[in-house]
Amino acid sequence: MTQQHSRKQPLSIAFIALLAVTLHQSFAATDAPPTAAPQTTSPPPAPPARPERGDYTVTNGNGTACLMARMGLQLNVSFSSASLNKTVLEVVNLQPNVTKSSGSCDSDSATLLLKADEKTTNLTLVFSLNATSSKYHLSGVTLSAAWPDMRVPFSASNSSLDYLRGTLGRSYMCREEQTLAVTVNFSLNTFQLQVQPFGLTGDQFGAAEECQLDEDDMLIPIIVGAALAGLVLVVLVAYLIGRKRSHAGYQTI
C-alpha cells in the first residue's frame, strides 16, 4: 500500500503542474493586446497612355494661318491634394477633342492658347523670334488649372525658356518624347511634335528641322550597321590571310 501511494503522488503533482502551466498560457493569451492587422497600401495609379496628337492653328486678322502646331501634350503637375492632405503628382493628357485653340501673332512673337473643358485647364505657349538671326524658340509657358482634388487652383508660369528652336520659314519637328521643365511643380511632355510659329506659307508646314533626339535615333542603326560591316571585313581579311599561308605551306611541301 505504501509503495502504490508513493507512485501515485508524483503523478498527481506532475498533472497539477501541467494544468497550471496550461491555465497560465491561456490567461496570458487572453490578456495580450490584439495584434494589428497588416496595413495594405494601394499601388500608385498607372500613368496614362501616350496622348493623342492634335492639330492646332492660330490665324491672323485676314484668316491666314500664322501659327501651326501638331502634337500630343501631357501635363505633369504637382499640387496639394484636398482628399489625401499631401502633395501629389498627376499626369494628365490634353485631349484634342475637348481642347479649343486660339491665340495671336505679331512680328516677333506668337501665342498659342489651349483651353481644355474637361478639367478646366488653360495652357499658353509663347514663341519669340530673333529678327537678326532669323531664329525662333519657345520662350514662355503658362498653365492654370482647377481640377477636382486641388486644394487651391494651380498656376505656374515661366517666360525665360529656350526650347523648340527653329529657323524662320521652317518648322521644328521632334518625333521622340520630350520633357520641357517649366517650374519645380510643372513640366510638359511633347509627343510627335511639329510646330511653326513664323513664316508660314498658306496652311502648310515649311521644311522640317529635326530635333537632336530624332537625329540620335537615326544614328544608332547607322553606327550598328557600320560596326557589323567592319566586323565582317575583319573576318574576311583574316580568312584570306589564313588561306594564303595555308597555300604557301602546301607549295613548300
Side-chain angles (χ1 to χ4, degrees):
M1 289 293 292
T2 307
Q3 290 179 353
Q4 290 178 356
H5 180 73
S6 61
R7 288 176 182 174
K8 289 180 180 179
Q9 188 173 6
L11 291 174
S12 300
I13 295 173
F15 176 74
I16 293 171
L18 179 60
L19 182 60
V21 170
T22 304
L23 290 173
H24 174 73
Q25 291 179 347
S26 63
F27 283 127
T30 304
D31 296 338
T35 56
Q39 295 182 350
T40 58
T41 57
S42 58
R50 291 170 67 96
E52 183 182 346
R53 198 181 189 195
D55 290 296
Y56 309 106
T57 303
V58 178
T59 58
N60 54 26
N62 58 13
T64 304
C66 58
L67 184 155
M68 291 177 58
R70 181 176 296 143
M71 55 192 171
L73 295 175
Q74 195 172 71
L75 312 175
N76 308 297
V77 182
S78 295
F79 61 89
S80 178
S81 168
S83 61
L84 300 176
N85 198 27
K86 65 177 183 179
T87 300
V88 298
L89 171 65
E90 188 165 349
V91 182
V92 176
N93 290 343
L94 212 62
Q95 303 293 344
N97 60 333
V98 294
T99 301
K100 297 179 180 179
S101 63
S102 61
S104 61
C105 299
D106 294 321
S107 59
D108 58 354
S109 69
T111 301
L112 173 63
L113 174 60
L114 302 176
K115 292 185 177 183
D117 297 332
E118 184 180 0
K119 289 191 174 181
T120 317
T121 305
N122 296 328
L123 178 67
T124 303
L125 308 179
V126 179
F127 294 87
S128 298
L129 173 67
N130 186 323
T132 303
S133 63
S134 296
K135 298 288 185 179
Y136 64 81
H137 66 281
L138 176 66
S139 58
V141 175
T142 299
L143 174 69
S144 62
W147 299 346
D149 194 38
M150 287 180 169
R151 187 180 299 276
V152 295
F154 180 86
S155 179
S157 182
N158 191 334
S159 58
S160 58
L161 302 176
D162 189 15
Y163 296 126
L164 316 184
R165 294 188 294 270
T167 304
L168 178 64
R170 294 175 176 264
S171 63
Y172 173 89
M173 177 183 288
C174 198
R175 299 182 181 89
E176 295 295 315
E177 176 184 355
Q178 293 184 103
T179 298
L180 312 180
V182 180
T183 67
V184 293
N185 297 324
F186 169 52
S187 62
L188 180 66
N189 298 337
T190 68
F191 300 80
Q192 294 287 314
L193 168 75
Q194 187 173 11
V195 62
Q196 185 173 344
F198 301 99
L200 281 166
T201 301
D203 296 333
Q204 300 293 326
F205 285 109
E209 296 178 341
E210 299 207 18
C211 65
Q212 189 63 45
L213 288 172
D214 286 355
E215 292 178 358
D216 292 344
D217 222 28
M218 294 175 61
L219 281 176
I220 291 175
I222 295 174
I223 294 172
V224 172
L228 289 175
L231 180 62
V232 170
L233 182 62
V234 169
V235 172
L236 180 61
V237 170
Y239 169 75
L240 292 175
I241 293 175
R243 185 177 179 183
K244 185 177 181 180
R245 288 178 178 176
S246 176
H247 184 67
Y250 289 146
Q251 289 179 346
T252 303
I253 291 173

